[in-house]
Amino acid sequence: VQLQASGGGLVQAGGSLRLSCKASGFRFSSYGMLWYRQFPGKERELVAGISSGGTTNYADSVKGRFTISRDNGKNTVSLQMNSLKPEDTAVYYCKRDSTVGLWGQGTQVTVSS
């Protein structure tokens, strides 16, 4: 049972990145999925979520710029990040939305000004 995140990197302000998180070992389609991010010295904050039925929600700070989606056939949840800002620089984590939490490893996103 695991989540494997990928897709982070270095991008200039205004650019785009797409994060992916591949699930294995559980029935992916039955769970909501979440993306969090963590700034240095801060607690993780919720960025976006998608329910098992496809309903999405976003933090105000990323609304209109980030899009979360899922592909149940590929057991993957993605986060498309557009119009990136330096303040989006953080380590991004995917998480299964369940009582027993399951986190992916973080992936670093760095946005240069």
Side-chain angles (χ1 to χ4, degrees):
V1 178
Q2 66 175 356
L3 297 172
Q4 185 73 33
S6 61
L10 173 64
V11 65
Q12 289 189 327
S16 299
L17 280 175
R18 185 176 181 87
L19 306 182
S20 293
C21 175
K22 184 165 179 60
S24 60
F26 63 94
R27 186 173 291 181
F28 176 77
S29 60
S30 296
Y31 291 90
M33 296 297 297
L34 308 167
W35 282 99
Y36 282 75
R37 64 186 178 186
Q38 187 169 25
F39 303 114
K42 303 287 188 179
E43 299 215 345
R44 293 179 189 181
E45 66 175 36
L46 182 62
V47 174
I50 185 166
S51 72
S52 57
T55 301
T56 59
N57 59 82
Y58 299 92
D60 287 344
S61 58
V62 306
K63 276 181 184 175
R65 300 188 299 122
F66 290 12
T67 302
I68 188 171
S69 61
R70 66 189 300 154
D71 184 338
N72 290 336
K74 296 182 179 179
N75 288 354
T76 299
V77 59
S78 298
L79 186 68
Q80 178 67 41
M81 305 185 294
N82 298 329
S83 302
L84 282 161
K85 305 175 182 180
E87 51 264 43
D88 293 317
T89 295
V91 179
Y92 285 72
Y93 298 87
C94 56
K95 181 180 184 286
R96 184 179 69 184
D97 188 8
S98 58
T99 303
V100 178
L102 177 66
W103 291 91
Q105 91 287 6
T107 184
Q108 176 71 47
V109 171
T110 303
V111 185
S112 63
S113 57

